[in-house]
Coordinates of all heavy atoms in Angstrom, one line a residue:
M1 N 3.1 -7.2 -38.3 CA 3.4 -6.9 -37.0 C 2.2 -6.1 -36.6 O 1.7 -5.2 -37.2 CB 4.7 -6.1 -36.8 CG 5.0 -5.7 -35.5 SD 6.1 -4.3 -35.2 CE 5.5 -3.0 -36.3
M2 N 1.8 -6.2 -35.3 CA 0.9 -5.5 -34.6 C 1.4 -4.8 -33.4 O 2.1 -5.5 -32.6 CB -0.4 -6.3 -34.1 CG -1.3 -6.7 -35.3 SD -2.7 -7.7 -34.9 CE -3.3 -6.7 -33.4
L3 N 1.2 -3.5 -33.2 CA 1.6 -2.8 -32.0 C 0.4 -3.1 -31.0 O -0.8 -3.1 -31.3 CB 1.7 -1.3 -32.2 CG 2.9 -1.0 -33.2 CD1 2.9 0.5 -33.4 CD2 4.2 -1.4 -32.5
T4 N 0.8 -3.3 -29.7 CA -0.2 -3.5 -28.7 C 0.4 -2.9 -27.3 O 1.6 -2.4 -27.3 CB -0.6 -5.0 -28.5 OG1 -1.6 -5.1 -27.5 CG2 0.6 -5.9 -28.2
H5 N -0.4 -2.9 -26.3 CA 0.1 -2.6 -25.0 C -0.7 -3.4 -23.9 O -1.5 -2.8 -23.2 CB -0.1 -1.1 -24.8 CG 0.6 -0.6 -23.6 ND1 2.0 -0.3 -23.5 CD2 0.2 -0.3 -22.3 CE1 2.3 0.1 -22.4 NE2 1.2 0.1 -21.5
E6 N -0.5 -4.7 -23.9 CA -1.4 -5.6 -23.1 C -0.5 -6.2 -22.0 O 0.6 -6.7 -22.3 CB -1.9 -6.7 -23.9 CG -2.8 -6.2 -25.1 CD -3.2 -7.2 -26.1 OE1 -2.5 -8.2 -26.2 OE2 -4.3 -7.0 -26.7
V7 N -1.0 -6.2 -20.8 CA -0.3 -6.6 -19.6 C -0.1 -8.1 -19.8 O -0.9 -8.9 -20.2 CB -1.2 -6.3 -18.3 CG1 -0.5 -6.9 -17.0 CG2 -1.3 -4.8 -18.1
A8 N 1.2 -8.6 -19.3 CA 1.6 -10.0 -19.3 C 2.3 -10.2 -17.9 O 3.0 -9.4 -17.5 CB 2.5 -10.4 -20.5
T9 N 2.0 -11.4 -17.4 CA 2.7 -11.8 -16.2 C 3.7 -12.8 -16.8 O 3.4 -13.8 -17.4 CB 1.7 -12.5 -15.2 OG1 0.8 -11.5 -14.9 CG2 2.5 -13.0 -14.0
V10 N 5.0 -12.5 -16.4 CA 6.1 -13.2 -16.9 C 6.8 -14.1 -15.9 O 7.2 -13.4 -14.8 CB 7.1 -12.4 -17.7 CG1 8.2 -13.2 -18.3 CG2 6.3 -11.6 -18.8
W11 N 7.2 -15.4 -16.1 CA 8.0 -16.2 -15.1 C 9.3 -16.3 -15.9 O 9.4 -16.4 -17.1 CB 7.4 -17.5 -14.8 CG 6.2 -17.6 -14.0 CD1 6.3 -17.7 -12.7 CD2 4.9 -17.2 -14.3 NE1 5.0 -17.6 -12.1 CE2 4.2 -17.3 -13.1 CE3 4.2 -16.9 -15.4 CZ2 2.7 -17.0 -13.0 CZ3 2.8 -16.6 -15.4 CH2 2.1 -16.8 -14.2
W12 N 10.4 -16.3 -15.0 CA 11.7 -16.3 -15.5 C 12.4 -17.5 -15.1 O 12.2 -18.2 -14.0 CB 12.5 -15.2 -15.0 CG 11.8 -13.9 -15.4 CD1 10.8 -13.3 -14.8 CD2 12.2 -13.0 -16.5 NE1 10.4 -12.1 -15.4 CE2 11.2 -11.9 -16.5 CE3 13.1 -13.1 -17.5 CZ2 11.3 -11.0 -17.5 CZ3 13.2 -12.1 -18.4 CH2 12.1 -11.1 -18.5
E13 N 13.4 -18.1 -16.0 CA 14.2 -19.2 -15.7 C 15.6 -18.8 -16.1 O 15.9 -18.5 -17.2 CB 13.8 -20.4 -16.4 CG 14.5 -21.7 -16.2 CD 14.3 -22.3 -14.8 OE1 13.1 -22.1 -14.2 OE2 15.2 -22.9 -14.1
R14 N 16.6 -18.8 -15.2 CA 18.0 -18.5 -15.4 C 18.1 -17.1 -16.1 O 18.9 -17.0 -17.1 CB 18.8 -19.6 -16.2 CG 18.8 -20.9 -15.4 CD 19.5 -21.9 -16.2 NE 19.4 -23.2 -15.6 CZ 18.8 -24.3 -16.2 NH1 18.5 -24.2 -17.4 NH2 18.7 -25.4 -15.5
G15 N 17.3 -16.1 -15.7 CA 17.4 -14.8 -16.2 C 16.8 -14.5 -17.5 O 17.0 -13.4 -18.1
V16 N 16.0 -15.5 -18.1 CA 15.4 -15.2 -19.3 C 13.9 -15.7 -19.2 O 13.6 -16.5 -18.4 CB 16.0 -16.0 -20.5 CG1 17.5 -15.5 -20.8 CG2 16.0 -17.5 -20.3
P17 N 13.0 -15.1 -20.1 CA 11.6 -15.4 -20.0 C 11.4 -17.0 -20.3 O 12.0 -17.5 -21.1 CB 10.9 -14.6 -21.1 CG 11.9 -13.5 -21.3 CD 13.2 -14.1 -21.0
D18 N 10.5 -17.5 -19.5 CA 10.2 -19.1 -19.6 C 8.8 -19.3 -19.9 O 8.5 -20.2 -20.7 CB 10.7 -19.8 -18.2 CG 10.5 -21.3 -18.4 OD1 11.0 -21.9 -19.3 OD2 9.6 -21.8 -17.6
R19 N 7.9 -18.6 -19.3 CA 6.4 -18.7 -19.6 C 5.8 -17.4 -19.2 O 6.4 -16.6 -18.5 CB 6.0 -20.0 -18.9 CG 6.1 -19.9 -17.4 CD 5.8 -21.3 -16.8 NE 6.3 -21.4 -15.4 CZ 5.6 -21.2 -14.3 NH1 4.3 -20.9 -14.5 NH2 6.3 -21.3 -13.2
M20 N 4.5 -17.4 -19.6 CA 3.8 -16.1 -19.3 C 2.3 -16.4 -19.3 O 1.8 -17.3 -20.0 CB 4.2 -14.9 -20.1 CG 3.7 -15.0 -21.6 SD 4.4 -13.5 -22.5 CE 3.3 -13.6 -23.9
V21 N 1.5 -15.5 -18.7 CA 0.1 -15.4 -18.9 C -0.3 -14.2 -19.6 O 0.3 -13.0 -19.2 CB -0.7 -15.4 -17.5 CG1 -2.1 -15.2 -17.7 CG2 -0.4 -16.8 -16.8
W22 N -0.9 -14.2 -20.7 CA -1.2 -13.1 -21.5 C -2.6 -13.3 -22.2 O -2.9 -14.4 -22.6 CB -0.1 -12.8 -22.6 CG -0.3 -12.0 -23.7 CD1 -0.7 -10.6 -23.6 CD2 -0.3 -12.2 -25.0 NE1 -0.9 -10.0 -24.9 CE2 -0.6 -11.0 -25.8 CE3 0.1 -13.3 -25.8 CZ2 -0.5 -11.1 -27.2 CZ3 0.1 -13.3 -27.2 CH2 -0.2 -12.1 -27.8
R23 N -3.5 -12.4 -22.2 CA -4.9 -12.5 -22.8 C -5.6 -13.6 -22.2 O -6.3 -14.4 -22.8 CB -4.7 -12.7 -24.3 CG -4.2 -11.5 -25.1 CD -4.4 -11.7 -26.5 NE -3.9 -10.5 -27.2 CZ -3.7 -10.4 -28.7 NH1 -4.0 -11.5 -29.3 NH2 -3.4 -9.3 -29.2
D24 N -5.4 -13.8 -20.9 CA -6.1 -14.8 -20.1 C -5.6 -16.2 -20.4 O -6.4 -17.1 -20.1 CB -7.5 -14.6 -20.0 CG -7.9 -13.4 -19.4 OD1 -7.3 -12.9 -18.4 OD2 -9.0 -12.6 -19.8
R25 N -4.5 -16.5 -21.0 CA -4.2 -17.7 -21.6 C -2.6 -17.9 -21.0 O -1.8 -17.0 -20.9 CB -4.2 -17.9 -23.0 CG -5.5 -17.8 -23.6 CD -5.6 -17.8 -25.0 NE -5.0 -19.2 -25.5 CZ -4.9 -19.4 -26.9 NH1 -5.1 -18.5 -27.7 NH2 -4.5 -20.6 -27.2
R26 N -2.3 -19.2 -20.7 CA -0.9 -19.6 -20.3 C -0.1 -19.9 -21.5 O -0.7 -20.6 -22.4 CB -0.9 -20.8 -19.4 CG -1.6 -20.5 -18.1 CD -1.7 -21.8 -17.3 NE -2.5 -21.5 -16.2 CZ -2.1 -21.7 -14.9 NH1 -0.8 -22.0 -14.7 NH2 -2.8 -21.4 -13.8
W27 N 1.0 -19.3 -21.7 CA 1.9 -19.6 -22.9 C 3.4 -20.0 -22.4 O 3.7 -19.5 -21.3 CB 2.2 -18.3 -23.6 CG 0.9 -17.6 -24.1 CD1 0.0 -16.8 -23.4 CD2 0.3 -17.8 -25.4 NE1 -1.0 -16.5 -24.3 CE2 -0.8 -17.0 -25.4 CE3 0.8 -18.5 -26.5 CZ2 -1.6 -17.0 -26.6 CZ3 0.0 -18.4 -27.6 CH2 -1.2 -17.7 -27.7
R28 N 3.9 -20.8 -23.1 CA 5.3 -21.4 -22.9 C 6.3 -20.8 -23.9 O 5.9 -20.7 -25.1 CB 5.5 -22.8 -22.9 CG 4.8 -23.6 -21.7 CD 5.7 -24.7 -21.2 NE 5.2 -25.2 -19.9 CZ 5.7 -24.8 -18.8 NH1 6.7 -23.9 -18.8 NH2 5.2 -25.2 -17.7
V29 N 7.5 -20.3 -23.5 CA 8.4 -19.8 -24.4 C 8.9 -21.1 -25.2 O 9.4 -22.1 -24.6 CB 9.5 -19.2 -23.7 CG1 10.6 -18.7 -24.7 CG2 9.1 -17.9 -23.1
S30 N 8.7 -21.0 -26.6 CA 9.0 -22.1 -27.4 C 10.3 -21.9 -28.3 O 10.5 -22.6 -29.3 CB 7.8 -22.6 -28.2 OG 7.3 -21.5 -28.9
D31 N 11.1 -20.9 -28.0 CA 12.4 -20.7 -28.7 C 13.3 -20.1 -27.7 O 13.0 -19.8 -26.6 CB 12.3 -19.9 -30.1 CG 11.9 -18.5 -29.9 OD1 11.8 -18.1 -28.7 OD2 12.1 -17.8 -30.8
T32 N 14.5 -19.7 -28.2 CA 15.6 -19.0 -27.5 C 15.1 -17.4 -27.4 O 15.2 -16.8 -28.5 CB 16.8 -19.2 -27.9 OG1 17.2 -20.5 -27.9 CG2 17.9 -18.5 -27.1
P33 N 14.9 -16.9 -26.2 CA 14.6 -15.4 -26.1 C 15.8 -14.6 -26.6 O 16.9 -14.9 -26.3 CB 14.2 -15.2 -24.7 CG 13.9 -16.6 -24.2 CD 14.7 -17.5 -25.0
T34 N 15.6 -13.4 -27.2 CA 16.5 -12.5 -27.6 C 16.4 -11.2 -26.9 O 15.4 -10.6 -26.8 CB 16.4 -12.2 -29.1 OG1 16.5 -13.5 -29.8 CG2 17.5 -11.2 -29.6
R35 N 17.5 -10.8 -26.2 CA 17.4 -9.4 -25.6 C 17.2 -8.4 -26.6 O 17.9 -8.3 -27.6 CB 18.7 -9.2 -24.8 CG 18.8 -9.8 -23.6 CD 20.1 -9.5 -22.7 NE 21.2 -9.0 -23.4 CZ 21.8 -7.8 -23.3 NH1 21.4 -7.1 -22.2 NH2 22.8 -7.5 -24.0
L36 N 16.4 -7.4 -26.4 CA 16.3 -6.1 -27.0 C 17.1 -5.1 -26.4 O 16.8 -4.9 -25.1 CB 14.8 -5.8 -27.2 CG 13.8 -6.8 -27.9 CD1 12.5 -6.3 -27.9 CD2 14.4 -7.1 -29.3
T37 N 18.1 -4.5 -27.0 CA 18.9 -3.6 -26.3 C 19.0 -2.2 -26.9 O 18.4 -2.0 -28.1 CB 20.4 -4.1 -26.3 OG1 20.8 -4.2 -27.6 CG2 20.5 -5.4 -25.6
A38 N 19.5 -1.2 -26.2 CA 19.6 0.1 -26.6 C 21.0 0.7 -26.1 O 21.3 0.3 -24.9 CB 18.4 0.9 -26.1
T39 N 21.5 1.6 -26.8 CA 22.7 2.3 -26.4 C 22.3 3.7 -26.0 O 21.5 4.4 -26.8 CB 23.8 2.4 -27.6 OG1 23.9 0.9 -27.9 CG2 25.1 3.0 -27.1
A40 N 22.8 4.2 -25.0 CA 22.5 5.6 -24.5 C 22.8 6.6 -25.6 O 23.9 6.5 -26.3 CB 23.3 5.9 -23.2
E41 N 21.9 7.5 -25.8 CA 22.1 8.5 -26.9 C 23.2 9.5 -26.7 O 23.8 10.0 -27.7 CB 20.8 9.2 -27.2 CG 19.7 8.3 -27.7 CD 18.4 9.0 -27.9 OE1 18.4 10.3 -28.0 OE2 17.3 8.4 -28.1
F42 N 23.7 9.7 -25.4 CA 24.6 10.7 -25.1 C 26.1 10.2 -25.4 O 27.0 11.0 -25.4 CB 24.4 11.2 -23.7 CG 24.6 10.1 -22.6 CD1 25.9 9.8 -22.3 CD2 23.6 9.5 -22.2 CE1 26.2 8.8 -21.3 CE2 23.8 8.5 -21.2 CZ 25.1 8.1 -20.8
L43 N 26.2 9.0 -25.7 CA 27.5 8.5 -26.0 C 28.1 8.9 -27.4 O 27.3 8.9 -28.3 CB 27.6 6.9 -25.9 CG 27.3 6.4 -24.4 CD1 27.2 4.9 -24.6 CD2 28.4 6.9 -23.5
P44 N 29.4 9.1 -27.6 CA 29.8 9.5 -28.9 C 29.6 8.4 -29.9 O 29.7 7.3 -29.5 CB 31.3 9.8 -28.6 CG 31.6 9.5 -27.2 CD 30.4 9.1 -26.6
S45 N 29.2 8.8 -31.1 CA 28.9 7.7 -32.1 C 30.1 6.9 -32.5 O 30.1 5.8 -33.0 CB 28.3 8.4 -33.3 OG 29.2 9.2 -33.9
A46 N 31.4 7.5 -32.4 CA 32.7 6.7 -32.7 C 33.1 5.8 -31.6 O 34.0 5.0 -31.8 CB 33.7 7.8 -32.8
M47 N 32.3 5.8 -30.5 CA 32.6 4.8 -29.4 C 32.4 3.3 -29.8 O 31.2 3.0 -30.2 CB 32.0 5.2 -28.0 CG 32.2 4.3 -27.0 SD 31.2 4.9 -25.5 CE 32.2 4.1 -24.2
T48 N 33.5 2.5 -29.7 CA 33.2 1.1 -30.1 C 32.8 0.4 -28.9 O 33.3 0.7 -27.7 CB 34.5 0.5 -30.7 OG1 35.5 0.5 -29.8 CG2 34.8 1.2 -32.0
H49 N 32.0 -0.7 -28.9 CA 31.5 -1.4 -27.8 C 31.0 -0.7 -26.7 O 31.3 -0.9 -25.5 CB 32.8 -2.4 -27.3 CG 33.3 -3.2 -28.4 ND1 34.3 -2.9 -29.2 CD2 33.0 -4.4 -28.7 CE1 34.7 -3.9 -29.9 NE2 33.9 -4.8 -29.7
A50 N 30.0 0.2 -27.1 CA 29.3 1.0 -26.2 C 28.5 0.2 -25.3 O 27.9 -0.9 -25.8 CB 28.4 2.1 -26.9
P51 N 28.4 0.4 -24.1 CA 27.4 -0.3 -23.1 C 26.0 -0.3 -23.6 O 25.6 0.8 -24.0 CB 27.6 0.4 -21.7 CG 28.2 1.7 -22.0 CD 28.9 1.7 -23.3
E52 N 25.3 -1.4 -23.5 CA 24.0 -1.5 -23.8 C 23.1 -1.9 -22.6 O 23.6 -2.6 -21.8 CB 23.7 -2.6 -25.0 CG 24.4 -2.2 -26.3 CD 24.4 -3.3 -27.3 OE1 24.1 -4.5 -27.0 OE2 24.1 -2.9 -28.4
R53 N 21.9 -1.5 -22.6 CA 21.0 -1.9 -21.6 C 19.8 -2.7 -22.2 O 19.4 -2.4 -23.4 CB 20.5 -0.7 -20.8 CG 19.7 0.2 -21.5 CD 19.2 1.5 -20.6 NE 18.6 2.5 -21.5 CZ 17.3 2.5 -21.7 NH1 16.5 1.6 -21.3 NH2 16.8 3.4 -22.5
T54 N 19.3 -3.7 -21.5 CA 18.1 -4.4 -22.0 C 16.8 -3.6 -21.9 O 16.6 -3.0 -20.8 CB 18.0 -5.7 -21.2 OG1 19.2 -6.4 -21.3 CG2 16.8 -6.5 -21.6
V55 N 16.1 -3.5 -23.0 CA 14.9 -2.7 -22.9 C 13.7 -3.6 -23.2 O 12.6 -3.1 -23.4 CB 15.0 -1.5 -24.1 CG1 16.0 -0.5 -23.7 CG2 15.2 -2.1 -25.5
G56 N 13.9 -4.9 -23.4 CA 12.9 -5.8 -23.6 C 13.3 -7.1 -24.0 O 14.6 -7.4 -24.0
W57 N 12.5 -8.0 -24.4 CA 12.7 -9.3 -24.9 C 11.8 -9.7 -26.1 O 10.7 -9.3 -26.1 CB 12.6 -10.4 -23.8 CG 13.6 -10.2 -22.7 CD1 13.5 -9.5 -21.6 CD2 14.7 -10.9 -22.6 NE1 14.6 -9.6 -20.8 CE2 15.4 -10.5 -21.4 CE3 15.4 -11.9 -23.4 CZ2 16.6 -11.1 -20.9 CZ3 16.5 -12.4 -22.9 CH2 17.2 -12.0 -21.7
R58 N 12.4 -10.5 -27.1 CA 11.7 -11.0 -28.2 C 11.6 -12.5 -28.1 O 12.8 -13.1 -28.0 CB 12.1 -10.5 -29.6 CG 11.4 -11.1 -30.6 CD 11.7 -10.4 -32.0 NE 11.3 -9.0 -32.0 CZ 11.9 -8.2 -32.7 NH1 12.9 -8.4 -33.5 NH2 11.4 -6.8 -32.6
F59 N 10.5 -13.2 -28.2 CA 10.6 -14.7 -28.2 C 9.2 -15.3 -28.7 O 8.3 -14.4 -28.9 CB 10.8 -15.2 -26.9 CG 10.0 -14.7 -25.8 CD1 8.8 -15.2 -25.4 CD2 10.5 -13.5 -25.0 CE1 8.0 -14.7 -24.4 CE2 9.7 -13.0 -24.0 CZ 8.4 -13.4 -23.8
Q60 N 9.2 -16.4 -29.2 CA 8.0 -17.1 -29.5 C 7.4 -17.9 -28.4 O 8.1 -18.5 -27.6 CB 8.3 -18.2 -30.6 CG 7.1 -19.0 -31.1 CD 7.4 -20.0 -32.2 OE1 7.7 -19.5 -33.2 NE2 7.3 -21.2 -31.9
V61 N 6.0 -17.7 -28.3 CA 5.3 -18.5 -27.2 C 4.3 -19.4 -27.9 O 3.8 -19.0 -29.0 CB 4.6 -17.5 -26.3 CG1 5.6 -16.8 -25.4 CG2 3.7 -16.5 -27.0
S62 N 4.0 -20.5 -27.2 CA 3.1 -21.5 -27.8 C 2.0 -21.9 -26.8 O 2.3 -21.8 -25.6 CB 3.8 -22.8 -28.2 OG 4.8 -22.4 -29.3
N63 N 0.9 -22.2 -27.3 CA -0.3 -22.7 -26.3 C -1.3 -23.4 -27.2 O -1.8 -22.9 -28.1 CB -0.9 -21.4 -25.7 CG -2.1 -21.8 -24.9 OD1 -2.7 -22.8 -25.1 ND2 -2.5 -20.9 -23.9
E64 N -1.4 -24.7 -26.9 CA -2.5 -25.5 -27.5 C -2.6 -25.4 -28.9 O -3.6 -25.1 -29.7 CB -3.8 -25.2 -26.9 CG -3.9 -25.4 -25.4 CD -5.1 -24.9 -24.8 OE1 -6.1 -24.5 -25.5 OE2 -5.1 -24.9 -23.5
G65 N -1.5 -25.5 -29.7 CA -1.5 -25.4 -31.2 C -1.3 -23.9 -31.7 O -1.1 -23.8 -32.9
D66 N -1.4 -22.9 -30.9 CA -1.2 -21.6 -31.3 C 0.3 -21.2 -31.1 O 0.8 -21.6 -30.0 CB -2.0 -20.6 -30.6 CG -3.5 -20.8 -31.0 OD1 -3.8 -21.1 -32.1 OD2 -4.4 -20.5 -30.2
A67 N 0.9 -20.3 -31.9 CA 2.3 -19.8 -31.7 C 2.2 -18.4 -32.2 O 1.6 -18.0 -33.2 CB 3.2 -20.7 -32.4
V68 N 2.9 -17.5 -31.5 CA 3.1 -16.1 -31.8 C 4.4 -15.7 -31.3 O 4.9 -16.1 -30.3 CB 1.9 -15.3 -31.2 CG1 1.9 -15.3 -29.7 CG2 1.8 -13.9 -31.7
V69 N 5.0 -14.7 -32.1 CA 6.3 -14.2 -31.6 C 5.8 -12.7 -31.0 O 5.0 -12.0 -31.4 CB 7.2 -13.8 -32.8 CG1 8.4 -12.9 -32.3 CG2 7.6 -15.1 -33.4
V70 N 6.4 -12.5 -29.8 CA 6.0 -11.2 -29.0 C 7.3 -10.6 -28.7 O 8.4 -11.1 -28.5 CB 5.2 -11.6 -27.8 CG1 3.9 -12.2 -28.1 CG2 5.9 -12.5 -26.7
D71 N 7.1 -9.1 -28.5 CA 8.1 -8.4 -27.7 C 7.5 -7.8 -26.4 O 6.3 -7.4 -26.5 CB 8.4 -7.1 -28.6 CG 9.3 -7.3 -29.8 OD1 9.7 -8.5 -30.0 OD2 9.6 -6.4 -30.5
I72 N 8.3 -8.1 -25.3 CA 7.7 -7.6 -24.1 C 8.7 -6.6 -23.6 O 9.9 -6.6 -23.9 CB 7.7 -8.7 -23.0 CG1 9.0 -9.4 -22.7 CG2 6.6 -9.8 -23.4 CD1 8.9 -10.3 -21.4
V73 N 8.2 -5.6 -23.0 CA 8.9 -4.4 -22.4 C 8.4 -4.1 -21.1 O 7.3 -4.5 -20.7 CB 8.7 -3.2 -23.4 CG1 9.4 -3.5 -24.7 CG2 7.3 -2.7 -23.4
P74 N 9.2 -3.6 -20.2 CA 8.9 -3.2 -18.8 C 7.8 -2.1 -18.9 O 7.9 -1.2 -19.7 CB 10.1 -2.8 -18.2 CG 11.3 -2.8 -19.2 CD 10.7 -3.3 -20.5
D75 N 7.0 -2.2 -17.8 CA 6.0 -1.1 -17.7 C 5.6 -1.1 -16.2 O 5.0 -1.9 -15.7 CB 4.6 -1.5 -18.4 CG 3.6 -0.5 -18.4 OD1 4.0 0.8 -18.6 OD2 2.4 -0.8 -18.1
G76 N 6.2 0.0 -15.5 CA 6.2 0.1 -14.1 C 6.8 -1.1 -13.5 O 7.9 -1.4 -13.7
D77 N 6.1 -1.8 -12.6 CA 6.6 -3.0 -11.9 C 6.4 -4.3 -12.7 O 6.8 -5.4 -12.1 CB 6.0 -3.1 -10.5 CG 6.4 -2.0 -9.6 OD1 7.5 -1.4 -9.8 OD2 5.7 -1.7 -8.6
G78 N 5.8 -4.2 -13.8 CA 5.6 -5.5 -14.6 C 6.0 -5.4 -16.0 O 6.9 -4.7 -16.4
W79 N 5.4 -6.1 -16.9 CA 5.7 -6.3 -18.4 C 4.4 -6.1 -19.2 O 3.3 -6.4 -18.6 CB 6.3 -7.7 -18.6 CG 7.6 -7.8 -17.9 CD1 7.9 -8.2 -16.7 CD2 8.9 -7.5 -18.4 NE1 9.2 -8.2 -16.4 CE2 9.9 -7.7 -17.5 CE3 9.3 -6.9 -19.7 CZ2 11.2 -7.6 -17.7 CZ3 10.7 -6.8 -19.9 CH2 11.6 -7.1 -18.8
V80 N 4.6 -5.6 -20.4 CA 3.5 -5.6 -21.4 C 4.0 -6.2 -22.7 O 5.2 -6.2 -22.9 CB 2.9 -4.2 -21.7 CG1 2.4 -3.6 -20.3 CG2 4.0 -3.2 -22.1
V81 N 3.0 -6.7 -23.5 CA 3.4 -7.2 -24.7 C 3.3 -6.0 -25.7 O 2.2 -5.4 -25.7 CB 2.4 -8.3 -25.3 CG1 2.7 -8.7 -26.7 CG2 2.5 -9.6 -24.3
A82 N 4.3 -5.5 -26.3 CA 4.3 -4.3 -27.1 C 4.1 -4.5 -28.6 O 3.5 -3.8 -29.3 CB 5.7 -3.5 -26.9
R83 N 4.6 -5.7 -29.0 CA 4.4 -6.1 -30.5 C 4.2 -7.6 -30.6 O 4.7 -8.3 -29.8 CB 5.7 -5.8 -31.2 CG 6.0 -4.3 -31.5 CD 7.2 -4.1 -32.2 NE 7.8 -2.7 -32.0 CZ 8.4 -2.3 -30.9 NH1 8.8 -3.1 -30.0 NH2 8.8 -1.0 -30.9
T84 N 3.4 -7.9 -31.7 CA 3.2 -9.4 -31.9 C 3.4 -9.6 -33.4 O 3.2 -8.7 -34.3 CB 1.8 -9.7 -31.5 OG1 0.8 -9.1 -32.3 CG2 1.5 -9.6 -30.1
W85 N 3.8 -10.8 -33.7 CA 3.9 -11.3 -35.1 C 3.2 -12.6 -35.2 O 3.5 -13.6 -34.4 CB 5.3 -11.5 -35.5 CG 6.1 -10.3 -35.7 CD1 6.3 -9.6 -36.9 CD2 6.8 -9.5 -34.7 NE1 7.1 -8.5 -36.7 CE2 7.4 -8.4 -35.4 CE3 7.0 -9.6 -33.3 CZ2 8.2 -7.4 -34.7 CZ3 7.8 -8.7 -32.7 CH2 8.3 -7.6 -33.3
L86 N 2.1 -12.7 -36.0 CA 1.3 -13.9 -36.0 C 1.8 -14.8 -37.2 O 2.4 -14.5 -38.1 CB -0.1 -13.7 -36.3 CG -0.8 -12.9 -35.1 CD1 -2.2 -12.5 -35.6 CD2 -0.7 -13.7 -33.8

């Protein structure tokens, strides 16, 4: 895993990432995206089914024979690639 903080432009289809431009290349999402979630820290630990909020997405992207798994997270009005797995 590599930590990074690189800007990505993300296009969405039915509420999930579908494609993106990252590192000046076009990428297509080539698996089912997974929501990355977090539970508010102020909630009691004994609370079952605590509400979660989406803090990012993990998915594989492909381009011309290359494939990489990325985590994207919000950054201001856009998105950044926060982690990669080659």
Side-chain angles (χ1 to χ4, degrees):
M1 178 200 47
M2 283 183 48
L3 295 175
T4 182
H5 191 82
E6 300 171 333
V7 173
T9 303
V10 181
W11 283 265
W12 301 82
E13 183 72 32
R14 297 185 189 120
V16 297
D18 181 59
R19 56 193 167 99
M20 70 180 195
V21 172
W22 167 56
R23 294 184 175 170
D24 297 323
R25 295 176 67 186
R26 294 174 188 247
W27 300 85
R28 288 222 170 260
V29 175
S30 52
D31 75 347
T32 303
T34 302
R35 279 184 337 122
L36 303 176
T37 60
T39 303
E41 292 180 17
F42 61 84
L43 295 174
S45 60
M47 182 177 195
T48 61
H49 300 88
E52 296 178 327
R53 62 183 175 88
T54 300
V55 295
W57 292 86
R58 178 173 294 156
F59 49 88
Q60 177 179 292
V61 290
S62 301
N63 175 339
E64 301 172 9
D66 294 329
V68 61
V69 174
V70 298
D71 284 358
I72 62 170
V73 296
D75 185 50
D77 292 335
W79 293 88
V80 296
V81 175
R83 290 177 196 82
T84 62
W85 289 265
L86 299 174

